[in-house]
Amino acid sequence: MMGYSHSVTAAGAWLALTELGITPHQDTGTLVVTTLACAGAGMFPDADHRKGTIAHSIPPFSNIITALIATLSGGHRKGTHSILGVLAFWALAYFSQTLTHNGIPWVSLALTAFAGGLALRVFKAPGGWLGAIGLGYLAWQTDSLSLVPWAIFCGCVMHIIGDMMTTRGVNILWPITIKPPVGTKIWRKSGYFSLPVLGDAGSARENILTSAVTVYILWFALAYFAVIHTFPSQWLSNLWH
Ligand SMILES: [Zn+2]
């Protein structure tokens, strides 16, 4: 999947969890911060890519960090695209909250701002990293930080699901690789798993899925700000009955 598709599907999943009441109730500021953090984290697993969006985000720091992540995780689509990788991203977000200076969890705020800023960049919001700084401030003002690790978790999980839906698949069990006796489309010779309903990354089917999720997000936003009366889930359940 392409970066944009990862971010859109991550944000869509987070809003769906919100709509279904699976995440706790959030005020508007918190929802903005967590949704954008989730959308940005939707690209985190590709931080193992030395030429990807994250590598080019804040040079030269981002180049150094992505090179380090690529080395630690064994290369592209390996460690960061596994259960272990998701847990590592979650743990980074969770434990960074405990690192405070003068009572302010700077690392956690910076991570939240960075994730949200990545999303703003991929959604082509104007203002560059200024938006990220604004989000960091909003995160501090709204108690969003306790939910951010879960938003990041959701984004990373959605990334792996997205890549799994493409032909190459992912090895979620990394660093263990179990190769099948006979390679199939679902359990590939490489030991990677995939359910390639989208075909290759960047396919027309991927674009259709991303467009559908974009419509869902816009619909959610219109309902949330009371421009229209029915949330997507309400409409669906009305359809059912
Ligand atoms: Zn990926």
Side-chain angles (χ1 to χ4, degrees):
M1 261 192 171
M2 315 309 277
Y4 180 80
S5 308
H6 282 306
S7 282
V8 169
T9 49
W14 184 252
L15 293 178
L17 291 174
T18 306
E19 213 188 325
L20 297 172
I22 295 168
T23 56
H25 177 76
Q26 301 168 60
D27 58 50
T28 306
T30 305
L31 189 60
V32 168
V33 171
T34 54
T35 305
L36 285 169
C38 180
M43 286 189 283
F44 275 9
D46 282 344
D48 61 2
H49 202 307
R50 289 163 206 259
K51 292 200 174 85
T53 312
I54 296 185
H56 294 310
S57 59
I58 314 177
F61 305 103
S62 52
N63 301 82
I64 297 167
I65 290 174
T66 49
L68 187 74
I69 290 176
T71 308
L72 281 176
S73 66
H76 187 45
R77 273 204 188 193
K78 293 210 164 93
T80 57
H81 289 64
S82 68
I83 295 167
L84 196 64
V86 173
L87 291 177
F89 283 119
W90 172 83
L92 177 74
Y94 187 81
F95 291 106
S96 67
Q97 291 180 72
T98 56
L99 299 169
T100 58
H101 183 69
N102 294 336
I104 301 175
W106 289 104
V107 183
S108 181
L109 288 173
L111 185 70
T112 306
F114 176 69
L118 268 185
L120 291 175
R121 276 168 79 101
V122 83
F123 296 148
K124 300 224 163 27
W129 288 106
L130 272 181
I133 295 168
L135 273 179
Y137 181 72
L138 191 60
W140 174 236
Q141 293 297 316
T142 54
D143 296 324
S144 306
L145 292 184
S146 60
L147 271 176
V148 163
W150 299 104
I152 286 180
F153 181 82
C154 174
C156 294
V157 168
M158 287 308 291
H159 183 108
I160 293 172
I161 293 174
D163 277 350
M164 237 183 186
M165 286 159 77
T166 62
T167 321
R168 271 181 68 192
V170 286
N171 181 13
I172 49 166
L173 300 176
W174 188 91
I176 304 164
T177 305
I178 307 172
K179 292 188 178 169
V182 183
T184 60
K185 270 190 172 170
I186 291 171
W187 189 8
R188 306 179 67 81
K189 250 192 186 152
S190 55
Y192 281 34
F193 298 95
S194 94
L195 203 68
V197 288
L198 296 179
D200 291 336
S203 69
R205 275 176 274 169
E206 180 181 318
N207 290 335
I208 292 169
L209 175 72
T210 307
S211 306
V213 179
T214 306
V215 169
Y216 167 74
I217 293 171
L218 293 175
W219 185 347
F220 178 97
L222 289 174
Y224 187 83
F225 292 108
V227 180
I228 53 176
H229 297 301
T230 325
F231 275 93
S233 65
Q234 290 168 334
W235 179 78
L236 261 182
S237 70
N238 289 346
L239 212 64
W240 220 251
H241 295 111

